[in-house]
């Protein structure tokens, strides 16, 4: 059984003295004892609370560490590819591939920082390093506009010389931008992080035009044709990303391919240690706890983001318990909380029909029908549809939705064989019932089902 480990962990101020539980009397006592008005504030006691954190920001995704550990090879390789930029030449394009949390984004930001530090120390005008997260900006226009912001002033936009946020044709934005880039004489390095999101939304062709920016020749009066010096660094969590691309895009983008492997336990330990020393109060985060956290994440995915998150949430749990030191138990509770957050997020984004099926299984479990056949799920499902005024899908379709929920790890649908060749699915919920139900009922469409109780069913018992 799943238990909410956080219930009751937030303690509200209690009144001392025997008040017989009467609230008004209790308040009067407090006022009397406290004297001044400041003692009435319920948050006051938290104000002076000691935290295990020295600086929590160090554990946020935005923090750029001073040194990247265990990525020396990649950093060297990136530096050698980008080095021509220092002399005003266009570097080759680059592609970073690796699963989430393997340090691709941070490597790109780190190298960009180093490069701009060095160049701006000498000649401020020679290099433009532009980072774009395609999860936020995934349209062709959006990306061109983002680039153009670095080459035009807002006055130029107002004067109609530079691209506005929307409204011009792509072609016009493109021509205006590369002409300005070329005229600037700068080397432009563009990082397209989560590049697969951009290709997914805008297609290979859009990416192709960006990659070709350095090839587009622009006639210059008296000088013949010249080109803008633009390089692209593409980053993707999808290891097969390059394989999906049109060959002409693929060959240009993956001039140089860098693979980021998941971190092992020792590497994660070092990364966590580097952060923990800056983020936590001295002795608030014991070495053994960092080891445990590294071991857990190395075993799961080798994802540094998750490892850092786990450390942060464990610190928050310790703070709520008002303890001065984070323990193994806090790590375990932090895991449960993170897992629950993931489940809740996954449930929130389900289509309504799938939500109905999940609620169906949960409501059944609540009345003791913990293992159901597809037919039983379907019986309840039809009832639920009637109550919320939705048209019921066919049983076959509901079978498909159950399989999908099984694949997401939200339901558990095992095929069970009976004698004489009989086979049926045995369906149960594999998410915490109470929290999941609460999340489902937050959907307005499902609210009429708040008090619905299915009948007891018994096929599988
Ligand atoms: P990715 O882009 O591959 O998904 P990130 O670069 O966002 O992963 O890294 C996830 C988190 O782990 C970030 O907070 C990052 O600063 C940290 N991190 C990753 N690799 C390292 C490293 N080698 N040294 C220090 N911190 C790292
Ligand atoms: Mg990233």
């Amino acid at each position: 059984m799943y238990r909410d480990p956080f219930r009751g962990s937030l303690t509200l101020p209690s009144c001392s003295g025997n008040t017989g539980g009467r609230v008004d009397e209790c308040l009067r006592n407090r006022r009397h004892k406290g004297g001044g008005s400041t003692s009435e504030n319920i948050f006051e006691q938290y104000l002076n609370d000691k935290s295990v954190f020295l600086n929590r920001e160090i554990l946020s995704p935005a923090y750029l560490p001073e040194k990247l550990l265990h990525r020396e090879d990649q950093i060297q390789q990136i530096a050698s590819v980008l080095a021509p930029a220092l002399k005003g030449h266009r570097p080759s394009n680059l592609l970073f591939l690796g699963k989430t949390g393997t340090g691709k984004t941070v490597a790109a930001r780190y190298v960009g920082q180093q490069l701009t530090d060095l160049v701006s120390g000498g000649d401020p005008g020679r290099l433009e390093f532009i980072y774009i997260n395609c999860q936020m900006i995934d349209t062709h226009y959006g990306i061109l506009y983002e680039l153009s912001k670095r080459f035009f002033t807002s006055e130029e936009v107002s004067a109609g010389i530079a691209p506005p946020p929307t409204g011009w044709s792509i072609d016009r934005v493109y021509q205006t931008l590369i002409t300005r880039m070329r005229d600037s004489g700068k080397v432009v390095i563009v990082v397209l992080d989560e590049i697969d999101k951009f290709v997914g939304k805008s297609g290979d062709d859009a990416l192709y035009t960006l990659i070709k920016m350095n090839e587009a020749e622009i006639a210059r009066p008296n000088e013949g044709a010249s080109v803008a010096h633009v390089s692209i660094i593409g980053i993707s969590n999808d290891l097969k990303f390059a394989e999906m691309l049109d060959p002409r895009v693929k060959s240009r983008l993956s001039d140089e391919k860098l693979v980021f492997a998941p971190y092992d336990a020792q590497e994660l330990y070092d990364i966590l240690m580097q952060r923990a020393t800056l983020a936590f109060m001295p002795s608030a985060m014991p070495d053994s706890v960092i080891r445990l956290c590294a071991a857990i994440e190395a075993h799961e995915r080798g994802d540094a983001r998750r490892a850092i998150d786990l450390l942060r949430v464990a610190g928050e749990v310790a703070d709520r318990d008002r303890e001065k030191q984070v323990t193994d138990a806090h790590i375990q509770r932090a895991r449960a909380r993170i897992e629950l957050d993931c489940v809740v997020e996954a449930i929130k984004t389900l289509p309504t029909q799938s939500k109905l099926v999940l609620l169906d299984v949960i409501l059944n479990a609540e009345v003791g029908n913990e293992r159901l056949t597809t037919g039983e799920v379907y019986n309840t499902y039809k009832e639920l549809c009637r109550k919320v005024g939705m048209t019921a899908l066919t049983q076959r379709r509901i079978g498909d939705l159950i399989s999908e929920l099984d694949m997401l790890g939200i339901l558990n649908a095992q095929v069970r064989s009976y004698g004489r060749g009989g086979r049926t699915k045995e369906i149960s919920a594999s998410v915490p019932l109470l929290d999941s139900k609460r999340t489902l009922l937050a959907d307005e469409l499902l609210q009429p089902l708040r008090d619905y109780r299915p009948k007891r069913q018994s096929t599988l018992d």
Side-chain angles (χ1 to χ4, degrees):
M1 248 301 268
Y2 179 89
R3 274 197 195 88
D4 183 353
F6 304 99
R7 197 164 299 140
S9 59
L10 183 82
T11 42
L12 284 168
S14 61
C15 299
S16 54
N18 186 0
T19 61
R22 290 201 32 219
V23 177
D24 51 348
E25 201 173 329
C26 167
L27 285 175
R28 255 197 315 274
N29 279 347
R30 283 181 65 82
R31 224 168 274 151
H32 189 68
K33 275 192 204 139
S37 61
T38 47
S39 65
E40 288 167 29
N41 192 309
I42 54 164
F43 292 107
E44 191 190 343
Q45 60 176 330
Y46 294 96
L47 207 58
N48 298 324
D49 258 6
K50 297 259 184 300
S51 167
V52 293
F53 293 106
L54 181 65
N55 182 358
R56 194 191 309 225
E57 292 303 302
I58 304 279
L59 302 171
S60 87
Y63 175 78
L64 184 61
E66 220 162 82
K67 191 169 178 323
L68 288 194
L69 304 169
H70 303 295
R71 287 297 181 226
E72 292 80 9
D73 290 351
Q74 283 85 350
I75 299 286
Q76 275 310 322
Q77 223 176 321
I78 303 167
S80 72
V81 173
L82 298 186
L86 295 170
K87 303 220 155 57
H89 303 302
R90 189 194 85 89
S92 306
N93 293 328
L94 266 162
L95 188 59
F96 298 0
L97 296 175
K99 297 195 172 151
T100 49
T102 52
K104 301 176 301 296
T105 299
V106 74
R109 287 174 59 212
Y110 178 80
V111 170
Q113 185 74 52
Q114 295 257 313
L115 200 55
T116 34
D117 279 356
L118 194 64
V119 174
S120 52
D123 174 2
R126 285 216 316 252
L127 183 97
E128 206 67 53
F129 187 92
I130 308 173
Y131 172 88
I132 297 177
N133 186 341
C134 301
Q135 208 156 20
M136 322 267 225
I137 302 173
D138 58 7
T139 64
H140 196 182
Y141 195 110
I143 289 191
L144 292 174
Y145 175 68
E146 200 59 27
L147 298 177
S148 82
K149 284 202 292 198
R150 295 286 273 269
F151 290 89
F152 294 95
T153 60
S154 48
E155 286 76 31
E156 286 175 306
V157 177
S158 314
I161 309 168
T166 56
W168 281 16
S169 72
I170 294 269
D171 198 44
R172 186 173 172 202
V173 179
Y174 189 74
Q175 291 302 332
T176 311
L177 176 63
I178 46 177
T179 306
R180 175 60 68 93
M181 280 179 169
R182 192 270 325 262
D183 289 348
S184 75
K186 286 181 178 178
V187 173
V188 187
I189 298 174
V190 182
V191 179
L192 297 177
D193 201 351
E194 316 265 346
I195 189 170
D196 39 317
K197 305 283 182 327
F198 169 54
V199 174
K201 174 83 187 263
S202 308
D204 295 44
D205 282 347
L207 179 56
Y208 187 57
T209 59
L210 292 183
I211 290 175
K212 291 248 301 181
M213 281 200 288
N214 66 301
E215 293 174 25
E217 295 197 343
I218 312 154
R220 214 175 200 176
N222 312 324
E223 280 180 35
S226 67
V227 293
H229 300 297
V230 188
S231 308
I232 306 280
I233 299 180
I235 303 183
S236 176
N237 295 331
D238 180 351
L239 295 163
K240 297 217 166 83
F241 168 70
E243 286 169 30
M244 302 179 319
L245 293 172
D246 180 323
R248 62 200 174 129
V249 182
K250 182 178 166 188
S251 66
R252 283 181 169 84
L253 182 64
S254 46
D255 287 347
E256 306 272 352
K257 212 166 19 179
L258 252 78
V259 176
F260 288 66
Y263 292 111
D264 65 23
Q266 182 61 43
E267 290 169 336
L268 285 178
Y269 170 80
D270 292 338
I271 292 172
L272 290 176
M273 190 49 128
Q274 181 197 41
R275 296 284 169 110
T277 328
L278 302 168
F280 289 94
M281 299 295 279
S283 75
M285 178 56 84
D287 189 69
S288 60
V289 175
I290 299 181
R291 281 235 176 264
L292 174 66
C293 184
I296 290 172
E297 288 304 335
H299 181 68
E300 302 228 325
R301 290 210 303 230
D303 178 332
R305 178 178 307 115
R306 283 176 40 136
I308 295 171
D309 271 355
L310 184 56
L311 213 58
R312 178 182 49 80
V313 176
E316 288 167 6
V317 173
D319 268 2
R320 272 205 232 173
D321 277 4
R322 305 195 173 182
E323 290 194 27
K324 293 191 186 71
Q325 198 172 53
V326 182
T327 62
D328 289 3
H330 293 137
I331 292 277
Q332 298 303 358
R333 281 170 51 192
R335 280 183 87 186
R337 187 172 122 191
I338 290 171
E339 202 175 303
L340 181 61
D341 285 350
C342 288
V343 169
V344 166
E345 272 318 299
I347 292 176
K348 272 189 198 157
T349 54
L350 288 175
T352 310
Q353 289 286 357
S354 303
K355 283 185 181 169
L356 262 185
V357 173
L358 175 59
L359 186 59
D360 171 334
V361 175
I362 292 174
L363 293 174
N364 268 298
E366 281 185 342
V367 296
N369 304 322
E370 277 167 9
R371 292 169 302 132
L372 303 157
T373 63
T374 309
E376 287 168 340
V377 173
Y378 193 64
N379 284 342
T380 310
Y381 164 79
K382 283 187 295 186
E383 267 299 294
L384 298 184
C385 282
R386 210 173 49 75
K387 290 230 175 286
V388 294
M390 275 173 48
T391 315
L393 302 175
T394 60
Q395 180 161 341
R396 174 189 283 263
R397 186 73 194 105
I398 293 308
D400 292 343
L401 293 185
I402 291 172
S403 304
E404 277 173 35
L405 290 169
D406 179 35
M407 276 188 344
L408 288 171
I410 290 175
L411 286 184
N412 187 10
Q414 274 181 339
V415 177
R416 196 163 112 173
S417 306
Y418 291 96
R420 297 175 184 260
R423 276 153 64 85
T424 183
K425 263 190 190 157
E426 195 176 286
I427 300 152
S428 58
S430 46
V431 287
L433 300 183
L434 262 182
D435 292 291
S436 306
K437 184 178 167 189
R438 200 178 303 136
T439 309
L440 288 165
L441 290 176
D443 184 330
E444 237 169 77
L445 281 171
L446 305 189
Q447 285 197 352
L449 303 174
R450 189 169 287 276
D451 300 315
Y452 181 78
R453 282 173 70 82
K455 284 193 249 352
R456 182 131 171 80
Q457 313 191 59
S458 60
T459 323
L460 286 171
D461 289 341

